Amino acid sequence: MEKQKSRVLIVGATGKLGHELAKASLNFSHPTFALVRDSAFADPTKLAKLQSLSEAGVTLLKGSLQDEESLIEAIKKVDVVICAVNSTQILDQKLLIQAIKKAGSINRFIPSEFGLDPDKVQISGMDYNFYSRKAEIRRLVEAEGIPYTYVSCNFYMSCLLPSLVQPELKAPPRDKIKIYGDGNIKGVFVKECDVAAFTINTMDDPLTLNKVLYLRPPGNVYSMNELADIWETKIKKKLQKTYVSEEELLRIIRETPYPDNMLFVFIYSVFIKGDQTYFDIESSGGLEGTQLYPHVKYTTISEYLDTLV
Ligand SMILES: NC(=O)c1ccc[n+]([C@@H]2O[C@H](COP(=O)([O-])OP(=O)(O)OC[C@H]3O[C@@H](n4cnc5c(N)ncnc54)[C@H](OP(=O)(O)O)[C@@H]3O)[C@@H](O)[C@H]2O)c1
């Protein structure tokens, strides 16, 4: 007999990743619940998302990360909790963690991370505590003994890839391109719906219990020089390349006001320091998603760039 599919609570289903998570959870036939704030129903865009999720089979539960009673009620209905709140709301997960601890019945908690590994980034002091907040949540989850998986998916494809890592542009360059550093350090881009599919696949997997699931799909790991080469082949044109040194990038970060400078901080972290790829996944105790779940089809960078030609 087939094992019963675990029941999943998504916090943040009106958001970018949370919406993908709710859809992926349904696609993989999990009974799916979404914790939704009252205010979301008053926003027409969010309401449309909620209606489509509800029609597809998601059970909407009213509540909020600030309302412990609503959290406990929601947690009682499920086996797995996935949180996808925004990077500015990371510490708001503390009450959720307490509620999960109190309930004592959750088999897996996936906190809101979905980026670089906060324990591996080498840019402390530069990121306005972006990563230390995510690391603080990790430590709390571990201290409470809550079963977890952390998903380190690296960059979403919607982050920087549409402009080929040119923060000042909205579309990929057609004439000239700025390459940060020597252009040889590799970064990773994964489409949001694919991040969601890998996340749903890992939440019941004993192999990833209390581990980090990294996404480094073959075909999605490239340096800036390689990205420029691929794009040149697609548009059948050579780009004029300007190399921006580490010192120059640090000057841009210093002179650009927060939060506009964060994209440059991410570029520094990934394409100068190599924070997405400098470490070996296996020897750091993590697992890689495409190796664990080869049945999950994902969009490669080349396929994504085809849509921009
Ligand atoms: N790797 C990358 O390139 C990348 C890029 C962007 C984001 N991320 C990461 O992805 C994760 C999700 O970010 P996102 O951009 O998808 O978020 P988002 O679109 O801003 O969505 C946030 C969601 O959280 C909900 N929420 C906020 N406060 C809440 C509360 N108190 N109670 C219940 N729900 C609450 C919001 O609901 P309402 O509708 O009620 O506001 C919304 O559904 C974050 O960890 C972020 O750092 C990664």
Side-chain angles (χ1 to χ4, degrees):
M1 213 172 70
E2 208 192 329
K3 199 173 154 254
Q4 266 213 329
K5 291 272 186 175
S6 58
R7 301 160 300 167
V8 188
L9 175 69
I10 312 282
V11 182
T14 54
K16 286 188 289 292
L17 185 70
H19 192 234
E20 296 298 337
L21 284 164
K23 288 192 291 181
S25 174
L26 285 178
N27 281 346
F28 288 101
S29 309
H30 290 274
T32 305
F33 298 75
L35 186 88
V36 186
R37 293 196 280 191
D38 266 334
S39 54
F41 293 92
D43 176 319
T45 315
K46 292 178 183 179
L47 182 62
K49 277 184 171 180
L50 291 171
Q51 274 168 344
S52 84
L53 288 179
S54 166
E55 279 159 22
V58 174
T59 304
L60 305 181
L61 306 171
K62 286 198 182 178
S64 117
L65 286 182
Q66 278 77 23
D67 175 356
E68 190 173 17
E69 213 175 301
S70 72
L71 292 175
I72 290 178
E73 277 310 303
I75 287 166
K76 275 193 207 151
K77 296 181 173 22
V78 298
D79 311 295
V80 171
V81 177
I82 308 179
C83 189
V85 291
N86 190 274
S87 56
T88 57
Q89 300 147 338
I90 294 301
L91 296 181
D92 291 351
Q93 296 175 104
K94 286 184 178 180
L95 195 59
L96 175 63
I97 292 167
Q98 296 315 325
I100 290 174
K101 170 82 178 170
K102 255 190 208 167
S105 56
I106 291 302
N107 298 332
R108 197 78 59 101
F109 174 48
I110 301 185
S112 190
E113 283 204 3
F114 307 106
L116 280 76
D117 184 330
D119 288 335
K120 295 259 188 286
V121 287
Q122 308 167 99
I123 52 160
S124 68
M126 288 180 70
D127 65 341
Y128 305 85
N129 294 326
F130 186 93
Y131 290 109
S132 63
R133 288 192 293 266
K134 293 187 174 184
E136 184 178 336
I137 289 299
R138 280 189 176 192
R139 301 296 86 83
L140 189 58
V141 169
E142 291 154 13
E144 296 296 8
I146 292 168
Y148 66 83
T149 299
Y150 305 136
V151 176
S152 280
C153 60
N154 298 310
F155 279 145
Y156 295 168
M157 278 191 177
S158 64
C159 178
L160 287 169
L161 194 59
S163 67
L164 230 64
V165 197
Q166 310 295 296
E168 63 284 1
L169 300 183
K170 295 235 175 319
R174 301 264 165 186
D175 302 306
K176 2 182 207 182
I177 185 167
K178 284 186 194 148
I179 307 264
Y180 293 93
D182 65 7
N184 292 324
I185 307 283
K186 289 181 196 282
V188 185
F189 295 88
V190 185
K191 209 169 176 185
E192 288 83 330
C193 58
D194 300 333
V195 172
F198 284 110
T199 303
I200 297 302
N201 270 269
T202 212
M203 69 191 187
D204 286 339
D205 185 350
L207 289 175
T208 56
L209 176 63
N210 297 342
K211 291 227 154 49
V212 185
L213 178 80
Y214 293 96
L215 297 183
R216 276 189 205 166
N220 293 37
V221 185
Y222 287 118
S223 68
M224 282 206 72
N225 284 329
E226 290 168 332
L227 286 176
D229 286 348
I230 297 171
W231 184 239
E232 285 177 339
T233 309
K234 291 193 187 295
I235 61 169
K236 302 186 178 62
K237 189 177 169 192
K238 285 277 168 208
L239 299 169
Q240 186 194 320
K241 297 189 179 97
T242 309
Y243 285 85
V244 179
S245 68
E246 178 171 351
E247 293 68 35
E248 177 61 6
L249 179 55
L250 287 171
R251 187 191 62 75
I252 296 170
I253 292 169
R254 270 196 312 274
E255 292 179 4
T256 308
Y258 175 81
D260 293 345
N261 61 355
M262 279 306 283
L263 277 182
F264 293 102
V265 172
F266 293 135
I267 291 173
Y268 180 77
S269 166
V270 173
F271 291 108
I272 303 277
K273 303 298 278 182
D275 281 344
Q276 292 180 336
T277 52
Y278 78 85
F279 57 93
D280 177 58
I281 292 176
E282 236 167 63
S283 54
S284 68
L287 293 139
E288 202 283 318
T290 57
Q291 289 180 18
L292 286 180
Y293 316 115
H295 60 281
V296 175
K297 299 277 165 274
Y298 62 89
T299 301
T300 63
I301 286 180
S302 175
E303 287 163 347
Y304 176 78
L305 292 179
D306 281 340
T307 67
L308 305 181
V309 173

